[in-house]
Amino acid sequence: MPNEHPEIQGGGSLILAWQIKNKEVLVIGGGEVAAGRIVNLLNADAKVTVVCPRAGLNEEVAYRVERKQVTHIDRVFLPLDLEPQKNVAMVLTAIDDPDASSRIWKYCKKLKVPANIADVPPECDFYFGSVHRDGPLQIMVSTNGNGPRLAAAIRRQIGDMLPEGTGESIKKVGELRRKLRRVAPGKSTRDINKRMGWMSRVCDSWSTDDFNAMDETDMQALVEYYESGRVPSFEDIRIKPQDDVVWEFDGSFGWM
């Protein structure tokens, strides 16, 4: 009998969307690699502290420091930077000193703080991938540390294939989901499954262009179909009731 279950392919990573909003992240180093890491962290609303002598900051990192987008500690890393009361959730190193990087990694392992040591895959608890970003849409391509440049090329190819306005469509879907929860606020498993099932059918039936063109009135008209279980087309909800027509007869039909 053929196996109907997925085959296991070992050697991969568990790809997650790590929520670090308002969490403390320590970046050690201030060069080009650190600059890229900082952008990713700030886009995820993390609280970033950069440990690096001021002379080692490149133009972009110095700009982040000047704008107070990050906190800067003007020296090399010291163990006190990871004192428990600082609640550091993650450490990223991007320095040109392999021995120092390894010592930092071992110290992080001792404290059970997840760490990424730039360009040293065996000393990484997690990897950065190449990310396509369009509003709320994020698509990450990871080569598990084998080929970052190739990951970037693949990411660009994927981005080029996506329909224009995909990110805006996803925003509209989020707004629609929130509106639906207000209209049908039930919290039982049955209620949740019904909402999810109906939303799935809407997403399967409507195109990116449909969601882009949807306005507040269209959204309200759409959720009114929820109780019936029907999923209308975009054209259906755009059909407006005809205004009442008042006929005026002037006798031209030959009526008396």
Side-chain angles (χ1 to χ4, degrees):
M1 186 174 179
N3 185 4
E4 299 179 356
H5 304 297
E7 293 294 331
I8 303 301
Q9 300 181 48
S13 297
L14 183 61
I15 296 180
L16 304 170
W18 198 337
Q19 301 300 309
I20 57 170
K21 182 176 181 179
N22 294 326
K23 293 184 179 179
E24 299 288 343
V25 178
L26 188 66
V27 176
I28 303 169
E32 181 179 354
V33 173
R37 300 290 195 250
I38 290 168
V39 169
N40 290 331
L41 293 168
L42 294 178
N43 283 339
D45 300 321
K47 295 180 178 179
V48 181
T49 297
V50 177
V51 178
C52 179
R54 182 167 293 276
L57 301 181
N58 78 353
E59 181 181 349
E60 182 176 343
V61 178
Y63 170 84
R64 306 290 176 200
V65 172
E66 180 184 344
R67 291 297 184 93
K68 301 189 184 304
Q69 295 175 347
V70 301
T71 299
H72 178 223
I73 299 177
D74 185 7
R75 56 166 170 73
V76 298
F77 170 82
L78 295 174
L80 61 86
D81 294 321
L82 285 176
E83 290 177 339
Q85 63 267 28
K86 295 188 176 180
N87 294 317
V88 175
M90 179 189 298
V91 172
L92 312 176
T93 75
I95 56 177
D96 296 326
D97 187 336
D99 291 336
S101 293
S102 291
R103 288 196 299 271
I104 293 169
W105 178 70
K106 290 174 183 177
Y107 189 59
C108 289
K109 296 296 286 184
K110 180 180 178 181
L111 297 178
K112 295 183 171 54
V113 177
N116 174 280
I117 310 303
D119 206 31
V120 188
E123 295 184 351
C124 291
D125 294 307
F126 55 91
Y127 301 120
F128 281 86
S130 184
V131 177
H132 171 81
R133 180 75 186 270
D134 181 2
L137 175 65
Q138 291 179 268
I139 300 174
M140 189 184 88
V141 178
S142 172
T143 60
N144 287 302
N146 289 284
R149 285 289 180 186
L150 182 57
I154 295 169
R155 180 261 301 164
R156 286 192 292 270
Q157 293 173 18
I158 292 172
D160 290 342
M161 289 189 297
L162 293 173
E164 185 177 352
T166 299
E168 188 62 29
S169 294
I170 293 172
K171 287 183 183 178
K172 295 285 184 71
V173 171
E175 293 172 15
L176 180 62
R177 290 182 63 193
R178 290 187 287 274
K179 186 177 288 292
L180 179 59
R181 283 195 291 270
R182 290 194 293 270
V183 170
K187 297 182 179 179
S188 70
T189 301
R190 181 176 179 277
D191 293 329
I192 294 170
N193 288 341
K194 182 179 177 181
R195 282 198 305 269
M196 291 176 61
W198 188 80
M199 277 298 310
S200 295
R201 288 163 52 212
V202 171
C203 291
D204 290 342
S205 301
W206 283 37
S207 69
T208 299
D209 289 340
D210 291 339
F211 284 115
N212 280 345
M214 180 172 62
D215 59 24
E216 186 70 22
T217 301
D218 299 327
M219 209 175 291
Q220 184 59 46
L222 177 56
V223 297
E224 289 175 2
Y225 282 87
Y226 172 71
E227 285 301 330
S228 71
R230 181 187 165 202
V231 174
S233 68
F234 180 68
E235 290 74 18
D236 288 339
I237 66 168
R238 272 293 171 96
I239 297 174
K240 308 298 183 184
Q242 295 296 317
D243 293 334
D244 292 337
V245 178
V246 178
W247 294 94
E248 295 183 2
F249 298 101
D250 59 3
S252 60
F253 292 97
W255 295 344
M256 300 298 293

